[in-house]
Amino acid sequence: MEDKNMAGVFRWKPLLLASLAAVSISACKEVLPEETGRETSRSVRETAAEASPLPFSDGPMTKEELAELEKYLNRGDNYGFLLSDYDGPQEIDLEEVFYNGAGISREGLSEEETGAYLAAAGQSEFMTDLVCLSTGDLDAFLQKKTGCSLGSMRRGLSWLYLPEYDSYYTEHGDTNRRGIRCIKGEFSGDECRVWCLSDQYSQYNMESILTLKRTVEGVLFQSNQIIWDQWSFYKENASQPSAETLHFLVREYRREQGMGEESLDEPVFDSENRYYTEEELEDLSYYPGLFAIFRNELYARHGYLFESQSWNEFFSAYSWYDGRIPSNAFDVSCMNEYERENLRLAVELRK
């Protein structure tokens, strides 16, 4: 069977504010920060407009365009938009976007505000790093990045809210920071779809298809479809990385292991010529995606036709692959002794 699973006085205020009830939650409307009636910080106002990292063109993105967009997405104010699955900007998980402050956290709080926070939180001192975001800054930031107002967002912050300061507060001692790699992209009119791979603890383990809208002032985040989440942390049942990502994982693995460039004329692993040890496969399982490649290659070498399009596309890039045998007609007896034992061990380690 092929491997398909890439296995005081305060209140907690919801982000959908009554003061913004007049804003429709069914559509986003571009509103300048001044129109909200809230005060915004200087840092937000100064960056209200920025040059677009994307040109206005059609067709596939070039390597240079992908590299430029990659720099943009890896910025502290942008990477959080890739950490939730959403079909429209109003569904973005604001907890992920603002977890580390997104570059707009208020600094230099007064003793009075600090004391008010500690009293509301029931603490005598800060436990770890504090992130403080004013409602005005939140609204201006979201308009700039998504074209939507704060009041139209459907997934709010569960942070402590102090109405006398009109600000949200949270403490955290870790980070949700992930590195972003742009694998491929395509332009169509004013939209751009980009296949983005992200890492965590030096492991690439999540892929999403990000849609951006190009404007004269910059880009707007429109949707993010997570298609692969190895550990199901952000989305369950997302187990289909693209063929391009699978090849990228192979190239990264070979580079790290000092094995040279990927060859499309040879299998990735030599599992048909020798027995792999349990230690070797356990080490391989440390690399998300590679273990599934190892197992599926045992089938692909004998013409197995995968049910998954991404796996067929991946192996079709190799000259030796001839996918012609459907799963209901495949018999593992066609494998040699090495392959059958390697498959048995791989299956055992997945239990």
Side-chain angles (χ1 to χ4, degrees):
M1 183 69 66
E2 63 185 272
D3 191 343
K4 299 178 182 178
N5 183 18
M6 299 280 287
V9 177
F10 77 99
R11 56 195 176 103
W12 297 94
K13 181 182 179 184
L15 196 55
L16 187 57
L17 302 173
S19 61
L20 290 177
V23 182
S24 171
I25 64 172
S26 63
C28 294
K29 176 180 178 292
E30 292 192 37
V31 185
L32 293 177
E34 289 75 17
E35 291 181 330
T36 67
R38 298 193 183 90
E39 182 180 354
T40 59
S41 70
R42 179 179 179 182
S43 61
V44 175
R45 294 196 303 270
E46 288 179 343
T47 58
E50 60 185 5
S52 173
L54 300 174
F56 283 85
S57 60
D58 287 311
M61 295 180 67
T62 66
K63 290 183 178 181
E64 293 74 18
E65 290 167 342
L66 287 171
E68 191 67 23
L69 180 59
E70 196 171 281
K71 294 178 183 178
Y72 178 79
L73 295 178
N74 275 289
R75 286 177 12 184
D77 57 337
N78 291 324
Y79 77 89
F81 288 100
L82 283 81
L83 304 188
S84 61
D85 186 89
Y86 51 94
D87 295 323
Q90 294 166 310
E91 300 172 0
I92 293 170
D93 188 344
L94 302 187
E95 298 276 357
E96 298 293 347
V97 174
F98 296 111
Y99 190 88
N100 290 314
I104 63 170
S105 182
R106 292 173 53 219
E107 304 291 341
L109 303 186
S110 68
E111 291 185 7
E112 290 78 8
E113 185 173 358
T114 299
Y117 166 77
L118 293 174
Q123 302 172 190
S124 61
E125 61 183 3
F126 292 112
M127 308 303 293
T128 183
D129 297 328
L130 176 70
V131 176
C132 172
L133 303 175
S134 72
T135 299
D137 284 352
L138 283 166
D139 192 75
F141 181 91
L142 290 171
Q143 289 175 31
K144 168 190 170 185
K145 297 292 187 178
T146 70
C148 296
S149 66
L150 173 62
S152 68
M153 308 304 287
R154 295 169 180 164
R155 302 175 68 178
L157 293 173
S158 59
W159 301 7
L160 188 153
Y161 174 77
L162 295 180
E164 61 267 41
Y165 297 101
D166 198 16
S167 296
Y168 293 84
Y169 309 78
T170 190
E171 292 182 61
H172 64 84
D174 56 359
T175 181
N176 68 345
R177 189 66 188 254
R178 299 176 70 98
I180 310 298
R181 294 293 297 266
C182 295
I183 303 301
K184 69 172 181 177
E186 57 189 24
F187 294 117
S188 179
D190 62 354
E191 285 194 344
C192 174
R193 298 176 74 228
V194 191
W195 280 253
C196 300
L197 186 62
S198 66
D199 68 357
Q200 188 176 41
Y201 306 118
S202 301
Q203 292 181 327
Y204 288 103
N205 53 30
M206 188 170 75
E207 181 182 12
S208 65
I209 303 175
L210 175 69
T211 301
L212 301 169
K213 181 180 180 180
R214 293 174 290 179
T215 69
V216 176
E217 294 81 13
V219 296
L220 301 176
F221 290 90
Q222 298 295 286
S223 67
N224 189 54
Q225 178 190 4
I226 297 177
I227 60 176
W228 176 44
D229 184 353
Q230 177 73 17
W231 314 122
S232 299
F233 186 80
Y234 295 96
K235 183 180 181 180
E236 294 184 354
N237 302 317
S239 59
Q240 296 297 324
S242 66
E244 288 82 2
T245 280
L246 291 171
H247 284 291
F248 174 83
L249 295 175
V250 170
R251 292 193 298 270
E252 287 293 293
Y253 173 74
R254 293 181 64 88
R255 178 188 60 80
E256 185 173 320
Q257 298 296 316
M259 300 168 62
E261 298 294 326
E262 176 187 22
S263 173
L264 297 180
D265 295 324
E266 301 175 356
V268 180
F269 302 99
D270 58 346
S271 55
E272 82 280 19
N273 296 320
R274 69 178 181 89
Y275 297 116
Y276 274 69
T277 67
E278 182 174 342
E279 182 180 4
E280 284 182 296
L281 292 187
E282 285 179 343
D283 289 344
L284 189 62
S285 67
Y286 175 80
Y287 300 89
L290 266 295
F291 192 90
I293 292 175
F294 177 90
R295 179 172 169 176
N296 285 346
E297 189 177 67
L298 292 165
Y299 292 87
R301 196 180 288 113
H302 296 279
Y304 185 93
L305 184 61
F306 294 88
E307 297 177 5
S308 165
Q309 180 181 353
S310 62
W311 281 110
N312 283 320
E313 290 180 0
F314 170 72
F315 284 115
S316 292
Y318 294 94
S319 61
W320 49 265
Y321 179 65
D322 182 19
R324 63 188 186 281
I325 307 176
S327 60
N328 59 3
F330 189 86
D331 191 340
V332 295
S333 64
C334 64
M335 297 181 182
N336 66 28
E337 180 181 345
Y338 296 114
E339 293 171 316
R340 288 197 297 271
E341 177 58 22
N342 287 328
L343 178 60
R344 183 202 66 79
L345 182 57
V347 172
E348 182 67 24
L349 290 177
R350 282 300 299 266
K351 290 181 180 180

